[in-house]
Amino acid sequence: MMKILLIATGAVSLAGLAHAGGFTTPVVEAAPVQPADTAPVPDWSGAYAGGNLNYGAGKAVATGDFGKSLAADGLNRNLAKPDGGALGLRAGYDWQFGRVVAGLGGEYSLGQYKSGLAGVYKGEYPGAEVKFGNVATVYTRAGYAFADNWMAYGLLGYSRADGKASGYGGSDSKTLDGLTMGLGVGYAFDRNWSAYGEYTYTDFGTIAGPSGDVKAELKQFQVGLNYRF
């Protein structure tokens, strides 16, 4: 009799559950999918000003008939290689479009690159000196913020400088100007401060010298620091 009562009670309980809607499968909620983190794009936009330390290596090379006459005599056409260190001041403004950065700027180099004469003239005029100084450049640049706080860029501009040769019974001064091209890389410490390394090449073209035409050029290697406002 007891078994019959237990079976009947179980049947009633099952019937009650069925009447209430039956058994339900528990629902397991999936954790929300988090979007993958994307690296923040550094902000290179705005006005900036700063300075740099640079090393300049120039060259004055005989060209045209002057160069041909030296070559015909078996002489080196390199007349001088003015070089040295200088301090540069720089300011500009950048615009940013995603990771692409474009800007305008200007720089002035406080210093002179100088050397004595080379080649055939070195022995004839031991006290002579060639100088490139007061180099001023206006430029446009375009770059790409390729990783975290890094940017690589190319530079195109126009430079002007004072050129002077002296010590051979007088002196001769010329205004040098020409196209400047360069490559650089910048690193932003934060929104305001950034550092950069840069290489530029300036072709000053052909200059009429006392002995004939001379081609002048200048390479500059710079390490600098900028403050962005």
Side-chain angles (χ1 to χ4, degrees):
M1 178 64 70
M2 183 61 67
K3 289 184 178 180
I4 294 173
L5 289 174
L6 289 174
I7 293 172
T9 301
V12 171
S13 298
L14 289 175
L17 288 174
H19 180 73
F23 295 104
T24 58
T25 303
V27 178
V28 179
E29 294 185 0
V33 178
Q34 297 293 333
D37 292 336
T38 57
V41 179
D43 185 5
W44 292 90
S45 63
Y48 63 89
N52 62 64
L53 296 175
N54 70 70
Y55 171 77
K59 188 182 292 186
V61 182
T63 188
D65 292 338
F66 182 27
K68 291 177 182 177
S69 66
L70 292 178
D73 292 335
L75 301 174
N76 195 328
R77 297 188 301 119
N78 292 328
L79 305 179
K81 295 181 178 181
D83 64 354
L87 171 67
L89 301 178
R90 172 175 294 195
Y93 193 97
D94 288 324
W95 294 267
Q96 187 161 345
F97 312 93
R99 289 189 175 271
V100 176
V101 180
L104 300 171
E107 180 176 302
Y108 184 78
S109 181
L110 304 169
Q112 293 184 332
Y113 312 118
K114 55 188 178 181
S115 75
L117 293 179
V120 65
Y121 293 101
K122 183 176 182 179
E124 294 183 21
Y125 307 102
E129 189 174 59
V130 174
K131 298 179 181 178
F132 294 166
N134 303 319
V135 183
T137 303
V138 291
Y139 61 84
T140 181
R141 69 176 185 173
Y144 185 77
F146 61 90
D148 290 345
N149 299 330
W150 291 93
M151 176 179 70
Y153 61 89
L155 178 151
L156 183 65
Y158 168 84
S159 294
R160 179 194 175 283
D162 295 330
K164 185 177 182 179
S166 60
Y168 49 92
S171 63
D172 187 30
S173 298
K174 298 288 184 181
T175 296
L176 312 176
D177 63 338
L179 183 68
T180 295
M181 300 172 286
L183 295 172
V185 61
Y187 178 81
F189 298 106
D190 54 31
R191 164 58 189 155
N192 301 111
W193 290 101
S194 63
Y196 65 92
E198 189 176 287
Y199 163 79
T200 59
Y201 169 81
T202 300
D203 182 358
F204 289 122
T206 301
I207 309 155
S211 300
D213 291 341
V214 177
K215 185 181 184 303
E217 61 184 47
L218 177 64
K219 299 175 182 178
Q220 291 176 291
F221 305 86
Q222 304 172 332
V223 177
L225 191 66
N226 286 332
Y227 180 83
R228 193 171 300 275
F229 301 96

